[in-house]
Amino acid sequence: MTAYGDLTIDCVGSNSESGECNAGVECIAVRSCQDLKNSGFDYDMTTTIDPDGPSGPIKPFSVFCRLSGSDAFGYSIVNTTNMSLPGIYAHGSEPGGSIHIHIDYQGGATAQQLNSLAQLSLNCSQFVRYTCHDAGIHYQNNVYLQATWWVNYRWQQMLGWAQPYSLRYQSVCACHATGSCGTLTTNVEGVDTVVQATCNCDRNERVENIFDEGTIYDKTNLPVNEVWVGDTGDATEWSHTYVGPLVCWGFDPSAGR
């Protein structure tokens, strides 16, 4: 560099410039990650979505968009933030549903916000696992009495645990559909009777790594808002509850986009 002392010279032209940004590019109102996939985005990102649109009452919230797959779907993924395997520990309370485990979602998204995404989407899923030690989802002495259940976004009790969609109104677990829950002895009209268990945990075994797990596909009731736990009052009774991310994809044709 050559120095010229204090000599200066005025710059030629205007010291500012303005113009239309992104001329010809249509702005996208992102209601879910499917909008981005349909618009040609093919790389994963975190972004803000607004499922009911700018004029709706539901506030926008943050999701992770998985867009890099070879299929036609953009996946909106909202992680739980207070969960890691094996899950949240529960012990010390016998009555059904007496321990309340609230599920926290990324960015503080509420159950109502997440359900608005679920209702807009073609499909949604959420993985759940209940690991038990001598703690049933139903009480062993009365298999018709629920000890543990999950709560939907409307604070309604949801029976069963990750049963197939066709059995969503039955108080059974995923293993019931395959006949792999095993047997247990329960009291039927005053008589000890061996019956087929409806959940693995209902066998009330005092061994490690007994669990009921599966994926909930009933998007009308997702996300999992809370899990209410019971049958953990005795010294040998405890459980862990794990709830995975909410994953939604596609657009429901009846959602009125």
Side-chain angles (χ1 to χ4, degrees), residues 24-102:
V25 177
E26 182 182 359
C27 293
I28 302 171
V30 181
R31 297 182 69 185
S32 82
C33 297
Q34 191 65 51
D35 273 323
L36 296 175
K37 185 73 172 184
N38 293 348
S39 297
F41 289 86
D42 59 0
Y43 55 90
D44 300 340
M45 67 178 78
T46 298
T47 191
T48 299
I49 64 170
D50 190 3
D52 66 346
S55 61
I58 303 297
K59 292 182 179 181
F61 58 96
S62 176
V63 302
F64 175 76
C65 291
R66 192 171 73 228
L67 307 171
S68 57
S70 59
D71 60 9
F73 293 117
Y75 296 86
S76 302
I77 302 173
V78 187
N79 288 305
T80 52
T81 58
N82 60 334
M83 290 285 164
S84 60
L85 285 170
I88 294 179
Y89 177 77
H91 170 69
S93 190
E94 190 66 20
S98 53
I99 298 175
H100 296 182
I101 298 173
H102 185 74

Side-chain angles (χ1 to χ4, degrees), residues 4 13 57 73 104 121 130 133 155 160 164 173 180 198 202 210 212 239 256:
Y4 295 95
F73 293 117
D104 295 332
S121 302
Y130 187 73
H133 188 278
W155 296 96
C173 293
S180 59
T198 56
D202 290 351
I210 302 296
D212 284 289
S239 68

Side-chain angles (χ1 to χ4, degrees), residues 138 146 150 152 154 156-173 176 216 218-221:
H138 304 87
Q146 196 108 359
W150 64 281
N152 71 5
R154 292 187 297 262
Q156 294 171 321
Q157 176 186 8
M158 302 304 297
L159 302 178
W161 192 257
Q163 66 269 50
Y165 184 78
S166 60
L167 302 177
R168 63 192 182 280
Y169 299 121
Q170 297 187 28
S171 182
V172 298
C173 293
H176 179 75
I216 302 170
D218 181 11
K219 78 183 185 79
T220 60
N221 287 299

Side-chain angles (χ1 to χ4, degrees), residues 106-230:
Q106 74 179 62
T110 67
Q112 286 73 26
Q113 286 175 307
L114 298 180
N115 184 258
S116 70
L117 168 63
Q119 297 312 309
L120 174 70
S121 302
L122 179 64
N123 290 300
C124 293
S125 66
Q126 195 161 17
F127 176 81
V128 293
R129 172 185 279 196
Y130 187 73
T131 304
C132 52
H133 188 278
D134 197 20
I137 288 179
H138 304 87
Y139 288 98
Q140 190 173 30
N141 60 355
N142 186 347
V143 294
Y144 302 105
L145 184 60
Q146 196 108 359
T148 294
W149 57 85
W150 64 281
V151 176
N152 71 5
Y153 79 103
R154 292 187 297 262
W155 296 96
Q156 294 171 321
Q157 176 186 8
M158 302 304 297
L159 302 178
W161 192 257
Q163 66 269 50
Y165 184 78
S166 60
L167 302 177
R168 63 192 182 280
Y169 299 121
Q170 297 187 28
S171 182
V172 298
C173 293
C175 62
H176 179 75
T178 58
S180 59
C181 299
T183 61
L184 59 86
T185 301
T186 189
N187 187 283
V188 179
E189 296 181 352
V191 179
D192 286 344
T193 305
V194 177
V195 299
Q196 290 292 320
T198 56
C199 299
N200 290 318
C201 288
D202 290 351
R203 300 196 303 267
N204 277 81
E205 294 177 319
R206 298 180 182 180
V207 296
E208 302 290 335
N209 297 320
I210 302 296
F211 56 84
D212 284 289
E213 68 175 14
T215 302
I216 302 170
Y217 290 98
D218 181 11
K219 78 183 185 79
T220 60
N221 287 299
L222 289 173
V224 177
N225 192 12
E226 290 193 348
V227 177
W228 293 15
V229 177

